Amino acid sequence: MTPAAANGPRLPPAAGVLLFATWATALGPHALRVPGWVVVAVALLGAWRIRLELRGGRELPRWLVFGLTILGALGVALSAPRPLGRDAALLLLFLLGGLKLLELRQARDRVLLVFLSWFLVLANLLYDPSPAAAVHMGATVLVSAGALVCLSDARGNLGWRGGLGVAGRLLAPALPLALVVFLLFPRVPGRLWSLPADVSRGLSGFSETMSPGSVTDIALSDAVAFRADFRGTLPPSSQRYWRGLVLQDTDGVRWTAGRSPQEVLAGPPETTADALEHEVTLEPHGKRWLFALDRPVSAPEGARLTRGSELRAAAPVVHRRRYAVRSLPGGSGGETQGESPELAAALALPAVSARVRGLAQEWAQAAGAPSGRLDGEAVVRQALDFFRREPFVYTLSPPLLGRDPVDAFLFEARAGFCEHFAAAFTVLMRAAGVPARVVAGYLGGEENPLGGYLLVLQADAHAWSEVWLEERGWVRVDPTTAVAPERIERPILRMLGAGSLPVRFALPGEGPLAAGIRWTRAAWDALGHGWNRWVLGYDYFRQRDLMARLGYRGATWRGLSIALAAAGGVFLAGLALALARRGAGALELPEVRAYRRFCRRLDRTGVPRRPHEGPLDLASRIAQERADLADAARAVLEPYQRLRYAPQLPSGARQEELRRLRRAVRAFRPGRMPRSAGPK
């Protein structure tokens, strides 16, 4: 008995190529998600198996396979961040994908490796549900189906290209059925499943508090915050303030929401014909607040509008969320009337230096206090003039400000990012007797010309102030624009350096290369946005709207189940009828299909193939009865004889024979050939 026989048959070349391609493509996306030692171990196992298949050798004894499996399991238990959860399951699955290479003796082991690869491909969607991940999944399924086809090809006649072709023809009819199931499978309100313990980690965005440097850290990220689709014209740049959370309480360093802004608005939401309707697709950030164009006047389903004009969701946003909202740009938020606890809280002054108090009181006296009525707008104008006049620097690298950051920023450092300007301005307003608070959110948004929506990045994070003015209510004031007015129109360049260098603003590149890069980025982002809206976002409400457009209003899960069963039944019946009409030839080998085509053409010559007749006998009879067709028939029958009955051909030789057969069948056209005088 040979060593190969003792260790089981080797993989057929074509099946081996597709099986290892399936294995590699399934594991590839996870390589950066598991510990390095696991990646190295699995790569070594793959190299060992490939070498064994190419050069031969003995399989590992079972006791060694068992020992390696135990060591791997212990390594997973020690390396997993937590015993249960998505990451631990992926780590174990990844390692099993490598250990399975130790035993590929039997056909069932090879099929099991394919099934294991499918689980790994599905696991990738838990981390990355993008269009690229869907394409990767489709490609892996095609390659794995080709591997299964080649594994079932006992004679190895197909080759890896032939295996992929058969797999493609098998999978193609399933696509319409998958589309029907996607559209009609009953959705339920809310998520069907989720992994809340894992998805809330590593999310970027605003936290519950703001302190010097917190917005700066967010602005250094290129991650997407949200996308906004508008019905009609996009708002101008000066109105692209995206309201998030209102910060009212402070100890001079940290700003928190306090209680008053979070109280639910008592009256009905403001409605006006001037309100802009837009739909926000918000990336998960792990907090309850939702972002909307300043100021929102309606709350989406599952959220509430607070007295501070904030949108608060019922639960933290740990999945991508899409909601529709109406906003009134430049709205006053005049829900506060006269004396109220909210205004009293907006006047609460933290411990500040005498210089800060003196500066603010100087402005207040010039604006009418304390003898007359304080003119809040005059105080605001003096504060903005102060920021314009003094040498303030708008920078992404602000210096440390110590225990009294407002004093240090206003009189010493005079360099900071938007949170420094907003916090200092708000404290100055309170010291002057003008109610004020800080609002955190985003400013700007890049228009996508292909998708017609605004893309807002974490780099657009911003903070501004609001002051309460008599008869106008809460009014937005952005002190940062007094120092850097370009901030409204242009995004900042995220460049850090030594010292407090001024922020530089991005300019659109010129030339065909820059235009091509912008178009490619816009196309890719529009593709992802459409995928999120129409595929990942196809939820209960979208399904209900689609059914209503198709004339099926009030669709229930029971009705959709019946419709799905009916549509699936009709589809399967049609597919069965089509296969029946095509007969057994639908799944025939390519050489058999070519041979049948040759025989049909031969029938028209008066020399039909007899049922018992093989290719050699047929060639001999054609030479006797139709000598004029003998050479053309031999050109068909010889490669067919080798493909069907010769010992297993190498993959390259088989493909060459198949191409030769097809060319000969195409050239066999008896009606165009000169007829000889008669049979020999």
Coordinates of all heavy atoms in Angstrom, one line a residue, residues 297-367:
V297 N -38.3 71.0 14.8 CA -39.6 71.3 15.3 C -40.5 70.1 15.3 O -41.7 70.2 15.5 CB -40.2 72.4 14.4 CG1 -39.5 73.7 14.6 CG2 -40.3 72.0 13.0
S298 N -40.0 68.9 15.0 CA -40.8 67.7 15.1 C -39.8 66.6 15.6 O -38.6 66.7 15.4 CB -41.4 67.4 13.8 OG -40.4 67.0 12.9
A299 N -40.4 65.6 16.2 CA -39.6 64.5 16.7 C -40.0 63.2 15.9 O -41.2 63.0 15.6 CB -39.9 64.2 18.2
P300 N -39.0 62.4 15.5 CA -39.3 61.2 14.7 C -39.9 60.2 15.7 O -39.9 60.3 16.9 CB -38.0 60.8 14.2 CG -37.0 61.4 15.1 CD -37.6 62.6 15.6
E301 N -40.4 59.1 15.1 CA -41.0 58.0 15.9 C -39.9 57.4 16.8 O -38.8 57.2 16.4 CB -41.6 57.0 15.0 CG -42.4 55.9 15.7 CD -43.1 55.0 14.8 OE1 -43.3 55.4 13.6 OE2 -43.5 53.9 15.2
G302 N -40.2 57.2 18.1 CA -39.2 56.6 19.0 C -38.3 57.7 19.6 O -37.3 57.3 20.2
A303 N -38.6 58.9 19.5 CA -37.8 60.0 20.0 C -38.7 61.1 20.6 O -39.9 61.1 20.3 CB -36.8 60.5 19.0
R304 N -38.1 62.1 21.3 CA -38.9 63.2 21.9 C -38.1 64.4 21.7 O -36.9 64.4 21.6 CB -39.2 62.9 23.3 CG -38.0 62.7 24.2 CD -38.3 62.2 25.6 NE -37.2 61.7 26.3 CZ -36.4 62.5 27.1 NH1 -36.8 63.8 27.2 NH2 -35.4 62.1 27.8
L305 N -38.9 65.5 21.6 CA -38.3 66.9 21.4 C -38.3 67.5 22.8 O -39.3 67.7 23.4 CB -39.1 67.7 20.4 CG -38.5 69.1 20.1 CD1 -37.2 69.0 19.4 CD2 -39.5 69.8 19.1
T306 N -37.1 68.0 23.3 CA -37.0 68.5 24.6 C -37.2 70.1 24.6 O -37.2 70.7 23.5 CB -35.7 68.2 25.2 OG1 -34.7 68.9 24.6 CG2 -35.4 66.7 25.1
R307 N -37.2 70.7 25.8 CA -37.3 72.1 25.9 C -36.1 72.8 25.3 O -36.1 73.9 24.9 CB -37.5 72.5 27.3 CG -38.8 72.1 27.9 CD -39.0 72.6 29.3 NE -38.9 74.1 29.4 CZ -40.0 74.9 29.2 NH1 -41.1 74.3 28.9 NH2 -39.8 76.2 29.3
G308 N -35.0 72.1 25.3 CA -33.8 72.7 24.7 C -33.6 72.4 23.2 O -32.6 72.6 22.7
S309 N -34.8 72.0 22.6 CA -34.8 71.7 21.2 C -33.8 70.6 20.8 O -33.1 70.6 19.8 CB -34.5 72.9 20.3 OG -35.5 73.9 20.5
E310 N -33.7 69.7 21.7 CA -32.9 68.5 21.5 C -33.8 67.3 21.0 O -34.9 67.3 21.5 CB -32.1 68.0 22.7 CG -31.0 68.9 23.2 CD -30.4 68.3 24.5 OE1 -31.2 68.2 25.5 OE2 -29.3 68.0 24.5
L311 N -33.3 66.4 20.2 CA -34.0 65.2 19.9 C -33.4 64.0 20.7 O -32.2 63.8 20.6 CB -33.9 64.9 18.4 CG -34.6 65.8 17.5 CD1 -34.4 65.5 16.0 CD2 -36.1 65.8 17.8
R312 N -34.1 63.4 21.6 CA -33.6 62.4 22.4 C -34.3 61.1 22.1 O -35.6 61.0 22.1 CB -33.9 62.7 23.9 CG -33.1 63.9 24.4 CD -31.9 63.4 25.1 NE -31.0 64.5 25.5 CZ -29.9 64.3 26.2 NH1 -29.5 63.1 26.6 NH2 -29.1 65.3 26.5
A313 N -33.6 60.0 21.7 CA -34.1 58.7 21.4 C -34.5 58.0 22.7 O -34.0 58.3 23.8 CB -33.1 57.9 20.6
A314 N -35.4 57.0 22.6 CA -35.8 56.2 23.7 C -34.7 55.3 24.2 O -34.7 54.9 25.4 CB -37.1 55.4 23.4
A315 N -33.8 55.0 23.3 CA -32.7 54.0 23.7 C -31.4 54.5 23.0 O -31.5 55.2 22.0 CB -33.0 52.6 23.2
P316 N -30.2 54.2 23.5 CA -29.0 54.6 22.8 C -28.9 54.1 21.4 O -29.4 53.0 21.1 CB -27.9 53.9 23.7 CG -28.5 53.8 25.0 CD -30.0 53.5 24.8
V317 N -28.3 54.9 20.6 CA -28.2 54.6 19.1 C -27.0 53.7 19.0 O -25.9 54.1 18.8 CB -28.1 55.8 18.3 CG1 -28.0 55.5 16.8 CG2 -29.2 56.8 18.6
V318 N -27.2 52.4 18.9 CA -26.1 51.4 18.8 C -26.2 50.7 17.4 O -25.3 49.9 17.1 CB -26.2 50.3 19.9 CG1 -25.9 51.0 21.3 CG2 -27.5 49.6 19.9
H319 N -27.1 51.1 16.6 CA -27.2 50.6 15.2 C -27.4 51.8 14.3 O -27.9 52.9 14.8 CB -28.3 49.6 15.0 CG -28.2 48.4 15.9 ND1 -27.3 47.4 15.6 CD2 -28.8 48.1 17.0 CE1 -27.4 46.4 16.5 NE2 -28.3 46.8 17.4
R320 N -27.1 51.7 13.1 CA -27.4 52.8 12.1 C -28.9 53.0 12.2 O -29.7 52.1 12.1 CB -27.0 52.4 10.7 CG -27.2 53.5 9.7 CD -26.6 53.1 8.4 NE -25.2 53.0 8.3 CZ -24.6 51.9 8.2 NH1 -25.2 50.8 8.1 NH2 -23.2 51.8 8.2
R321 N -29.3 54.3 12.3 CA -30.7 54.7 12.4 C -31.1 55.7 11.4 O -30.3 56.7 11.2 CB -31.0 55.2 13.8 CG -32.4 55.7 14.0 CD -32.7 55.9 15.5 NE -34.1 56.4 15.6 CZ -34.8 56.4 16.7 NH1 -34.2 56.1 17.9 NH2 -36.0 56.9 16.8
R322 N -32.2 55.5 10.8 CA -32.8 56.5 9.8 C -34.1 57.1 10.3 O -34.9 56.3 10.8 CB -33.0 55.7 8.5 CG -33.5 56.5 7.4 CD -33.5 55.7 6.1 NE -34.1 54.4 6.3 CZ -35.5 54.3 6.3 NH1 -36.2 55.3 6.0 NH2 -36.0 53.1 6.5
Y323 N -34.2 58.4 10.2 CA -35.4 59.0 10.7 C -35.6 60.3 9.9 O -34.7 60.9 9.4 CB -35.3 59.4 12.2 CG -34.0 60.1 12.6 CD1 -34.0 61.5 12.6 CD2 -32.9 59.4 13.0 CE1 -32.9 62.2 13.0 CE2 -31.7 60.1 13.3 CZ -31.7 61.5 13.3 OH -30.6 62.2 13.7
A324 N -36.9 60.7 9.9 CA -37.3 61.9 9.2 C -37.6 63.0 10.2 O -38.2 62.7 11.3 CB -38.6 61.6 8.3
V325 N -37.3 64.2 10.0 CA -37.5 65.3 10.9 C -37.7 66.6 10.1 O -37.2 66.7 9.0 CB -36.2 65.4 11.9 CG1 -35.0 65.7 11.1 CG2 -36.5 66.3 13.0
R326 N -38.4 67.5 10.8 CA -38.6 68.9 10.2 C -37.9 69.9 11.1 O -37.9 69.8 12.3 CB -40.1 69.1 10.1 CG -40.8 68.1 9.3 CD -42.3 68.3 9.3 NE -42.7 69.4 8.5 CZ -43.4 70.5 8.9 NH1 -43.7 70.6 10.2 NH2 -43.7 71.5 8.1
S327 N -37.2 70.8 10.4 CA -36.5 71.9 11.1 C -36.8 73.2 10.6 O -37.2 73.4 9.4 CB -34.9 71.6 11.0 OG -34.6 70.4 11.6
L328 N -36.6 74.2 11.4 CA -36.8 75.6 11.0 C -35.5 76.3 11.2 O -35.1 76.8 12.3 CB -37.9 76.2 11.9 CG -38.3 77.6 11.5 CD1 -39.0 77.6 10.1 CD2 -39.3 78.2 12.5
P329 N -34.7 76.4 10.1 CA -33.4 77.1 10.2 C -33.6 78.6 10.7 O -34.4 79.3 10.2 CB -32.8 77.1 8.8 CG -33.6 75.9 8.1 CD -34.9 75.9 8.7
G330 N -32.7 78.9 11.6 CA -32.9 80.3 12.2 C -34.0 80.5 13.1 O -34.3 81.6 13.6
G331 N -34.7 79.4 13.5 CA -35.8 79.4 14.5 C -35.3 79.9 15.8 O -34.1 79.7 16.2
S332 N -36.2 80.6 16.6 CA -35.7 81.2 17.8 C -35.8 80.2 19.0 O -35.2 80.5 20.1 CB -36.6 82.4 18.1 OG -37.9 82.0 18.3
G333 N -36.6 79.2 18.9 CA -36.8 78.3 20.0 C -37.4 79.1 21.2 O -37.0 79.1 22.3
G334 N -38.5 79.9 20.9 CA -39.0 80.8 21.9 C -39.9 80.2 22.9 O -40.9 80.8 23.3
E335 N -39.6 78.9 23.3 CA -40.5 78.3 24.3 C -40.3 78.8 25.7 O -41.1 78.6 26.5 CB -40.2 76.8 24.3 CG -38.8 76.4 24.7 CD -37.8 76.4 23.6 OE1 -38.1 77.0 22.5 OE2 -36.7 75.9 23.8
T336 N -39.1 79.6 25.9 CA -38.9 80.1 27.2 C -39.6 81.5 27.3 O -39.4 82.3 26.5 CB -37.4 80.3 27.4 OG1 -36.8 79.0 27.3 CG2 -37.1 80.8 28.8
Q337 N -40.4 81.7 28.3 CA -41.1 82.9 28.5 C -40.7 83.5 29.9 O -40.8 82.9 30.9 CB -42.6 82.7 28.5 CG -43.1 82.1 27.2 CD -42.9 83.0 26.0 OE1 -43.0 84.2 26.2 NE2 -42.7 82.5 24.8
G338 N -40.2 84.8 29.9 CA -40.0 85.5 31.1 C -39.1 84.8 32.1 O -38.1 84.2 31.7
E339 N -39.4 85.0 33.3 CA -38.6 84.3 34.4 C -38.9 82.9 34.4 O -40.1 82.5 34.4 CB -38.9 85.0 35.7 CG -38.6 86.5 35.8 CD -37.1 86.7 35.7 OE1 -36.3 85.8 36.1 OE2 -36.7 87.8 35.2
S340 N -37.9 82.0 34.4 CA -38.1 80.6 34.5 C -36.9 79.9 35.1 O -35.8 80.5 35.0 CB -38.4 80.0 33.1 OG -37.3 80.1 32.3
P341 N -37.1 78.7 35.6 CA -35.9 78.0 36.1 C -34.8 77.8 35.0 O -33.6 77.8 35.3 CB -36.5 76.7 36.6 CG -37.9 77.0 36.9 CD -38.3 78.0 35.9
E342 N -35.3 77.7 33.8 CA -34.3 77.4 32.7 C -33.5 78.7 32.5 O -32.2 78.5 32.3 CB -35.1 77.1 31.4 CG -34.2 76.9 30.2 CD -35.0 76.5 29.0 OE1 -36.2 76.5 29.1 OE2 -34.4 76.4 27.9
L343 N -34.1 79.9 32.6 CA -33.2 81.1 32.4 C -32.3 81.3 33.6 O -31.2 81.7 33.5 CB -34.2 82.3 32.2 CG -34.9 82.4 30.9 CD1 -35.7 83.7 30.8 CD2 -33.9 82.3 29.7
A344 N -32.8 80.9 34.8 CA -32.0 81.0 36.0 C -30.8 80.1 35.9 O -29.7 80.5 36.2 CB -32.8 80.7 37.2
A345 N -31.0 78.9 35.3 CA -29.9 78.0 35.2 C -28.9 78.5 34.1 O -27.7 78.3 34.2 CB -30.4 76.6 34.8
A346 N -29.4 79.2 33.1 CA -28.6 79.8 32.0 C -27.8 81.0 32.5 O -27.0 81.6 31.7 CB -29.4 80.1 30.8
L347 N -28.1 81.5 33.7 CA -27.3 82.6 34.2 C -26.3 82.2 35.3 O -25.6 83.0 35.9 CB -28.3 83.6 34.8 CG -29.0 84.5 33.8 CD1 -30.1 85.3 34.5 CD2 -28.0 85.5 33.1
A348 N -26.4 80.9 35.7 CA -25.5 80.4 36.8 C -24.0 80.5 36.3 O -23.6 80.0 35.3 CB -25.8 78.9 37.0
L349 N -23.3 81.2 37.1 CA -21.9 81.6 36.8 C -20.9 80.7 37.6 O -21.0 80.7 38.9 CB -21.6 83.0 37.1 CG -20.4 83.6 36.5 CD1 -20.3 83.5 35.0 CD2 -20.2 85.1 37.0
P350 N -20.0 80.0 37.0 CA -19.0 79.2 37.8 C -18.0 80.2 38.4 O -18.0 81.4 38.1 CB -18.4 78.3 36.7 CG -18.5 79.1 35.5 CD -19.8 79.9 35.6
A351 N -17.1 79.6 39.2 CA -16.0 80.4 39.8 C -15.1 80.9 38.7 O -14.4 80.1 38.0 CB -15.3 79.6 40.8
V352 N -15.1 82.2 38.4 CA -14.2 82.8 37.4 C -13.3 83.9 38.0 O -13.7 84.4 39.1 CB -15.0 83.3 36.2 CG1 -15.7 82.2 35.5 CG2 -16.0 84.4 36.6
S353 N -12.3 84.3 37.3 CA -11.4 85.3 37.8 C -12.1 86.7 37.8 O -13.1 87.0 37.1 CB -10.1 85.3 37.0 OG -10.4 85.8 35.7
A354 N -11.4 87.6 38.5 CA -11.9 89.0 38.5 C -11.8 89.6 37.1 O -12.6 90.5 36.7 CB -11.1 89.8 39.6
R355 N -10.8 89.2 36.4 CA -10.6 89.8 35.0 C -11.8 89.5 34.1 O -12.2 90.3 33.3 CB -9.3 89.3 34.4 CG -8.0 89.9 35.0 CD -6.8 89.6 34.2 NE -6.5 88.2 34.2 CZ -5.4 87.7 33.6 NH1 -4.6 88.6 32.9 NH2 -5.1 86.4 33.6
V356 N -12.2 88.2 34.2 CA -13.4 87.8 33.4 C -14.6 88.6 33.8 O -15.4 89.1 32.9 CB -13.6 86.3 33.5 CG1 -14.8 85.9 32.8 CG2 -12.4 85.6 33.0
R357 N -14.9 88.7 35.1 CA -16.0 89.4 35.6 C -15.9 90.9 35.2 O -16.9 91.5 34.7 CB -16.1 89.3 37.1 CG -16.6 88.0 37.6 CD -16.6 88.0 39.1 NE -17.0 86.7 39.7 CZ -18.3 86.3 39.9 NH1 -19.2 87.2 39.6 NH2 -18.5 85.2 40.4
G358 N -14.7 91.5 35.3 CA -14.6 92.9 35.0 C -14.9 93.2 33.5 O -15.5 94.2 33.2
L359 N -14.4 92.3 32.6 CA -14.6 92.5 31.2 C -16.1 92.4 30.9 O -16.6 93.3 30.1 CB -13.8 91.4 30.4 CG -13.9 91.5 28.9 CD1 -13.4 92.8 28.4 CD2 -13.2 90.3 28.3
A360 N -16.8 91.4 31.4 CA -18.2 91.3 31.1 C -19.0 92.4 31.7 O -19.9 92.9 31.1 CB -18.7 89.9 31.7
Q361 N -18.7 92.9 32.9 CA -19.4 94.0 33.5 C -19.2 95.3 32.8 O -20.0 96.1 32.7 CB -19.0 94.1 35.0 CG -19.6 92.9 35.8 CD -19.0 92.9 37.2 OE1 -18.3 93.8 37.6 NE2 -19.4 91.9 38.0
E362 N -18.0 95.4 32.2 CA -17.7 96.6 31.4 C -18.7 96.7 30.2 O -19.2 97.7 29.8 CB -16.3 96.6 30.9 CG -15.9 97.7 30.1 CD -14.4 97.6 29.6 OE1 -13.6 96.9 30.3 OE2 -14.1 98.1 28.5
W363 N -18.9 95.5 29.6 CA -19.8 95.5 28.4 C -21.2 95.7 28.9 O -22.0 96.4 28.2 CB -19.7 94.1 27.7 CG -18.4 93.8 27.1 CD1 -17.4 94.7 26.8 CD2 -17.9 92.5 26.8 NE1 -16.3 94.0 26.3 CE2 -16.6 92.7 26.3 CE3 -18.3 91.2 27.0 CZ2 -15.8 91.6 25.9 CZ3 -17.6 90.1 26.5 CH2 -16.3 90.3 26.0
A364 N -21.6 95.1 30.1 CA -23.0 95.3 30.5 C -23.3 96.8 30.8 O -24.4 97.3 30.5 CB -23.2 94.4 31.8
Q365 N -22.3 97.4 31.4 CA -22.5 98.9 31.7 C -22.7 99.7 30.5 O -23.5 100.6 30.4 CB -21.4 99.4 32.6 CG -21.3 98.8 34.0 CD -20.1 99.3 34.7 OE1 -19.3 100.0 34.2 NE2 -20.0 98.8 36.0
A366 N -21.9 99.3 29.5 CA -22.0 100.0 28.2 C -23.4 99.7 27.5 O -23.8 100.5 26.7 CB -20.9 99.7 27.3
A367 N -24.0 98.6 27.9 CA -25.2 98.2 27.3 C -26.5 98.5 28.1 O -27.5 98.0 27.9 CB -25.2 96.7 27.0

